Amino acid sequence: MMKLLRLLLPLTLITLKAHAEDGYRLWLRYDKIENAALRSSYSNQLQYIKVYGQSPTLAAAQKELVMGLSGLTGNTPRESATTEQASLLLFTRFTQPAQLTGITTDYAALGQDGFCITTARIKEKKVTIITANTDIGVLYGTFHLLRLLQTQQPIQAVQVVSVPAIQHRILNHWDNLNRTIERGYAGFSIWNWHTLPDYIDQRYIDYARANASIGINGTVLTNVNANALVLTHDYLLKVKALADAFRPYGLKVYLTAKFSAPVEIGGLKTADPLDTSVQHWWQHKADEIYELIPDFGGFLVKANSEGQPGPQTYNRTHADGANMLADAVGTHGGIIMWRAFVYDVRVQKHDEDFDSNKTNKNLPDIAAADRFKQAYAEFTKLDGQFRKNVLVQVKNGPIDFQPREPFSPLFGAMPQTPLAMEFQLTMEYLGQGTHLVYQAPLFKEVLDADTYATGKGATIAKVIDGSLYHHSLSAIAGVSNIGSERNWTNHPFGQATWYAYGKLAWNPNANARDIAREWVQQTFTHQPQAVQTITDMMMASREAVVNYMTPLGLHHIMGASGHWGPGPWVNNAGRADWNSVYYHRADSFGLGFNRTATGSNALAQYKPEVQAQWKDSNTCDERYLLWFHHVSWQHHMHSGKTLWDELCTRYQQGVDTVRRMQASWNSLQTVIDPERFHQVQQLLSIQEKEARWWRNSCLLYFQTYSRMPLPAGVEPPDHTLDYYKSIRSLFVPGAGSN
């Protein structure tokens, strides 16, 4: 009993400190269940805990159970001296007590991280069991059981078997060593490199807890626009301190490797991946890292993109570069995640005479200029040339995390190479931390998309979980939206995207609405009508932002540099494909980027069945119409409206949806705690204001080409186009390339 009290005391203090509803506790709130009968039932069923085995991970599981059950039931569970007394048993395959010989768990099916929660009997006494092959599996099962209680599910005869579909489930932090975060909208980096390795902030532990609770098992600590300094010994000692803090929660650390590190910090004259001195340098560096951090995950690499050095600097291929690093970490069990986000000024040579006033049919340079095509062109020819411990990490779409993109044509196009999905949780193009945008519908839209790579049913989920081409290595990455703000993500609903990412990384077939409802119950309330109202808001939010920013397949029309606010008029950026006009190609005829055979022919990078969905402007899924077609302002839409009228209507619908979200949230004032209610209320006000800003700016600009009036029901802008063009986005947080 004293042991449990020692476990509970520091956690109780942490909970009390965070009990103000400031969002710090995320979805791990563990507040007392109001339903007395249910609370008593849980307490009676789980009052004696017995953990078999000793390890930091099992200690973390026991600590979580003590804190969770104490908070939820109001009663501190007791540590059982014997198996017969226990009502909740935790053990692995190798520590199963002899009294449970009749339990038939299929451990072979659970793998490394899977778990089983089951109900059994010991001498006629009902017991709840959490078991797995590994200690981390037991911890994942512990969080799952607590989630069942948090969402008030029956557990009298619980039977759960859960196995992750994807092996490496990783957060990518775009955090810099000076604690700024590229595309970060929730404060500064939570990694305080100045006080590491000697000071371990409680926030690091709670970060690991939160990730373990949703099955995330890896974190890349540093920005893909890498700084070689993190590979020096002094910084590696700091990385080791974080790795040690995370290890009980199954969270491996990874680093970004700057390709020129052998020159910058190694004193070499070259970083050529085929140079033996360079190869030896990376091997020694990997040996040094693994001596400090035996379970170091490996490297994430951005190379030959947006000014980052890479193997092409030395006339080598991406495979040459990736394989050199793969050999360095491979002997230690590490992996390389090589990003496919590559584009270079060289491919823009045909765009020097780009003129946004030309009609699409007069753009003979378009076939060579389309940035959409470059990743596919560079990587498909390398299929089969990568080492077995290399994954090519591909953004969900072919451009850059837009509110809606068609899936990247690389998915399904590299059968001999495992591909990792890269989603963006941080809201670079989605309101930058002030808009309520639940991204699970976006993630699901991509994961469920059919590549037809091996025929019907070859979904992207099957590509990245390895099952489509029988790869044993699989990974998914989410660009973090976490910062130093007390509530982690700035917008309280940003937590929902973090949560949903973890749930979908574990099970890509999970339902976005179910995940939203589960998050709401753990985060805000169990009141049925309120849960329904908030869930409906969340499920509508992604389509709303598409409508008020980039409806009908418009894309990349935001302001320059900071990527904040509308900028469809941007035409003076440093290269053609940084300009909005490059993407929307508005002219007196119409709107949109022709990517069919008569244009850039990017559509040809997809399988014929996918091409068929988008190649005809009259039958094209209108969500992607302007991605693939340059169509007349008078083009007849499925609604019967012209393109212009439909465009205007969609922009208005986006604004109207935000206003409905405001009304829905205001109706919950008596249900939601005052602190978070007023915070979300104010943020929704910002969102409504900026939605109108987007609508007014874009419609006024596009109207200069269409020369058509706004249709009935669309509110007239309250300022002129020149006014909106004059707005300057100064000091936008997180600006930079990615």
Side-chain angles (χ1 to χ4, degrees):
M1 182 63 181
M2 289 303 297
K3 179 181 177 182
L4 282 178
L5 288 175
R6 287 195 299 271
L7 288 172
L8 180 60
L9 181 59
L11 292 167
T12 302
L13 293 175
I14 293 165
T15 302
L16 289 174
K17 285 171 63 179
H19 199 270
E21 291 292 5
D22 56 11
Y24 180 83
R25 292 182 296 162
L26 298 163
W27 48 86
L28 300 174
R29 291 167 70 242
Y30 301 147
D31 284 347
K32 193 172 183 179
I33 296 169
E34 294 182 2
N35 184 319
L38 185 63
R39 188 172 67 240
S40 177
S41 172
Y42 287 158
S43 181
N44 291 336
Q45 187 171 341
L46 304 171
Q47 61 179 311
Y48 290 100
I49 300 173
K50 179 69 174 173
V51 179
Y52 296 86
Q54 292 184 337
S55 73
T57 297
L58 290 176
Q62 184 170 349
K63 185 181 293 188
E64 200 72 32
L65 280 170
V66 172
M67 180 167 61
L69 293 174
S70 299
L72 291 164
T73 70
N75 295 318
T76 301
R78 301 178 183 180
E79 186 174 7
S80 175
T82 66
T83 301
E84 288 78 11
Q85 183 190 33
S87 52
L88 176 58
L89 306 178
L90 281 68
F91 55 83
T92 70
R93 177 181 191 174
F94 308 102
T95 59
Q96 179 174 321
Q99 295 92 325
L100 295 175
T101 54
I103 301 299
T104 57
T105 301
D106 185 0
Y107 285 104
L110 295 182
Q112 181 75 14
D113 292 345
F115 60 85
C116 175
I117 307 176
T118 188
T119 305
R121 289 188 178 274
I122 300 178
K123 296 182 179 179
E124 302 307 314
K125 179 185 176 183
K126 184 182 289 187
V127 295
T128 302
I129 293 169
I130 302 175
T131 187
N133 284 312
T134 61
D135 293 351
I136 190 60
V138 171
L139 179 62
Y140 290 149
T142 296
F143 278 113
H144 188 92
L145 178 65
L146 287 170
R147 185 175 300 116
L148 294 177
L149 272 60
Q150 287 177 280
T151 54
Q152 302 186 6
Q153 303 300 307
I155 63 167
Q156 290 86 351
V158 62
Q159 296 289 339
V160 174
V161 174
S162 186
V163 181
I166 298 172
Q167 182 182 5
H168 299 284
R169 307 170 299 278
I170 301 173
L171 279 179
N172 289 180
H173 286 262
W174 286 355
D175 295 22
N176 300 311
L177 297 184
N178 65 3
R179 297 194 72 183
T180 60
I181 304 175
E182 188 169 320
R183 307 307 179 192
Y185 310 105
F188 289 95
S189 171
I190 64 174
W191 320 131
N192 190 337
W193 298 104
H194 177 64
T195 58
L196 285 164
D198 302 308
Y199 183 79
I200 301 299
D201 195 316
Q202 177 62 37
R203 195 176 182 96
Y204 302 154
I205 309 301
D206 292 331
Y207 167 84
R209 285 178 56 235
N211 281 314
S213 76
I214 51 178
I216 292 173
N217 65 355
T219 179
V220 183
L221 301 175
T222 46
N223 192 357
V224 289
N225 290 317
N227 187 332
L229 189 64
V230 79
L231 297 179
T232 60
H233 189 73
D234 286 347
Y235 269 90
L236 290 177
L237 292 175
K238 300 172 187 286
V239 174
K240 169 182 163 50
L242 289 174
D244 291 344
F246 297 161
R247 189 170 293 111
Y249 293 92
L251 193 66
K252 285 187 177 182
V253 298
Y254 299 75
L255 292 173
T256 48
K258 190 163 188 178
F259 204 80
S260 56
V263 176
E264 293 187 33
I265 63 172
L268 301 186
K269 294 182 179 180
T270 181
D272 184 347
L274 299 190
D275 186 289
T276 55
S277 65
V278 175
Q279 295 169 357
H280 290 155
W281 188 90
W282 280 109
Q283 184 63 67
H284 292 319
K285 181 56 63 177
D287 293 344
E288 178 187 2
I289 294 172
Y290 281 96
E291 180 69 24
L292 293 170
I293 311 167
D295 57 352
F296 178 69
F299 293 124
L300 170 65
V301 186
K302 174 180 179 178
N304 291 117
S305 180
E306 299 183 319
Q308 288 294 301
Q312 291 178 337
T313 308
Y314 305 94
N315 295 316
R316 312 302 188 191
T317 70
H318 288 289
D320 292 330
N323 291 341
M324 175 196 66
L325 293 172
D327 290 342
V329 302
T331 56
H332 302 282
I335 64 172
I336 299 299
M337 296 165 287
W338 192 272
R339 293 180 90 224
F341 181 65
V342 292
Y343 67 95
D344 189 69
V345 176
R346 290 174 299 173
V347 303
Q348 293 299 312
K349 61 186 178 181
H350 298 285
D351 254 18
E352 293 172 356
D353 298 323
F354 177 78
D355 182 351
S356 64
N357 293 313
K358 292 180 181 179
T359 61
N360 189 64
K361 62 185 179 181
N362 293 327
L363 285 171
D365 59 336
I366 192 173
D370 192 354
R371 176 172 146 189
F372 185 117
K373 301 167 64 175
Q374 188 172 358
Y376 182 99
E378 288 209 32
F379 280 91
T380 52
K381 63 188 178 185
L382 300 175
D383 190 29
Q385 297 182 30
F386 293 95
R387 297 286 192 267
K388 296 299 183 183
N389 59 327
V390 174
L391 298 114
V392 174
Q393 184 165 303
V394 184
K395 289 188 179 186
N396 60 273
I399 299 295
D400 191 14
F401 299 132
Q402 296 299 291
R404 171 168 281 129
E405 296 197 32
F407 66 85
S408 169
L410 269 177
F411 291 113
M414 297 183 68
Q416 299 180 71
T417 307
L419 301 186
M421 171 64 70
E422 182 175 309
F423 285 127
Q424 188 180 55
L425 280 60
T426 191
M427 297 171 64
E428 178 179 358
Y429 300 103
L430 298 171
Q432 303 194 348
T434 58
H435 294 203
L436 194 168
V437 186
Y438 173 56
Q439 293 189 57
L442 185 161
F443 301 158
K444 284 293 291 179
E445 189 171 283
V446 178
L447 292 169
D448 293 346
D450 197 336
T451 68
Y452 287 88
T454 58
K456 186 174 177 57
T459 64
I460 289 180
K462 293 178 181 178
V463 174
I464 64 170
D465 71 13
S467 63
L468 189 66
Y469 294 118
H470 310 292
H471 293 301
S472 59
L473 183 62
S474 60
I476 186 170
V479 180
S480 165
N481 61 350
I482 299 162
S484 60
E485 291 285 351
R486 178 67 183 169
N487 73 353
W488 302 87
T489 58
N490 189 54
H491 200 302
F493 281 81
Q495 298 177 5
T497 291
W498 177 10
Y499 182 85
Y501 166 71
K503 298 286 286 185
L504 289 169
W506 185 280
N507 177 14
N509 295 317
N511 180 276
R513 177 175 285 275
D514 291 344
I515 295 171
R517 185 184 301 109
E518 183 178 272
W519 177 81
V520 172
Q521 290 175 324
Q522 295 173 89
T523 305
F524 283 116
T525 180
H526 285 90
Q527 201 278 330
Q529 185 56 52
V531 171
Q532 182 68 36
T533 297
I534 299 172
T535 302
D536 287 345
M537 288 173 57
M538 293 169 67
M539 292 303 296
S541 63
R542 187 280 182 112
E543 203 61 38
V545 77
V546 170
N547 281 337
Y548 66 70
M549 288 186 180
T550 53
L552 301 175
L554 285 171
H555 52 285
H556 212 282
I557 60 171
M558 67 290 161
S561 180
H563 295 178
W564 175 70
W569 46 78
V570 173
N571 64 358
N572 60 353
R575 47 182 284 161
D577 62 359
W578 291 348
N579 289 295
S580 299
V581 296
Y582 170 94
Y583 294 98
H584 65 66
R585 303 191 177 232
D587 56 28
S588 59
F589 171 79
L591 184 65
F593 198 129
N594 182 1
R595 291 188 166 103
T596 69
T598 60
S600 76
N601 204 26
L603 192 56
Q605 293 183 336
Y606 295 97
K607 297 298 181 184
E609 296 90 341
V610 179
Q611 295 180 40
Q613 299 172 22
W614 299 328
K615 68 179 180 180
D616 185 335
S617 63
N618 294 305
T619 59
C620 179
D621 182 340
E622 291 181 345
R623 296 177 301 173
Y624 303 105
L625 177 65
L626 302 179
W627 267 98
F628 293 105
H629 298 279
H630 188 83
V631 296
S632 163
W633 297 111
Q634 300 286 353
H635 176 82
H636 287 289
M637 305 294 288
H638 299 163
S639 65
K641 299 176 182 176
T642 64
L643 169 66
W644 170 249
D645 283 357
E646 185 70 24
L647 185 72
C648 295
T649 300
R650 294 293 181 96
Y651 271 109
Q652 184 64 50
Q653 286 174 348
V655 175
D656 291 344
T657 302
V658 177
R659 289 170 176 165
R660 286 193 294 272
M661 290 162 59
Q662 286 181 291
S664 294
W665 186 254
N666 288 339
S667 72
L668 302 173
Q669 184 166 8
T670 60
V671 180
I672 306 300
D673 57 277
E675 186 170 357
R676 290 184 296 173
F677 174 81
H678 290 299
Q679 183 182 14
V680 174
Q681 186 181 51
Q682 292 175 83
L683 290 169
L684 283 170
S685 178
I686 292 174
Q687 186 171 0
E688 192 273 342
K689 177 182 177 181
E690 294 190 358
R692 287 188 285 110
W693 175 29
W694 270 91
R695 179 200 61 195
N696 295 345
S697 299
C698 292
L699 291 185
L700 283 171
Y701 173 78
F702 290 130
Q703 193 175 37
T704 65
Y705 292 97
S706 75
R707 305 293 183 183
M708 299 169 73
L710 299 179
V714 176
E715 298 169 7
D718 45 8
H719 296 286
T720 65
L721 178 59
D722 286 341
Y723 167 83
Y724 293 113
K725 284 184 174 182
S726 72
I727 297 174
R728 293 290 176 262
S729 55
L730 300 176
F731 308 114
V732 175
S737 59
N738 61 3

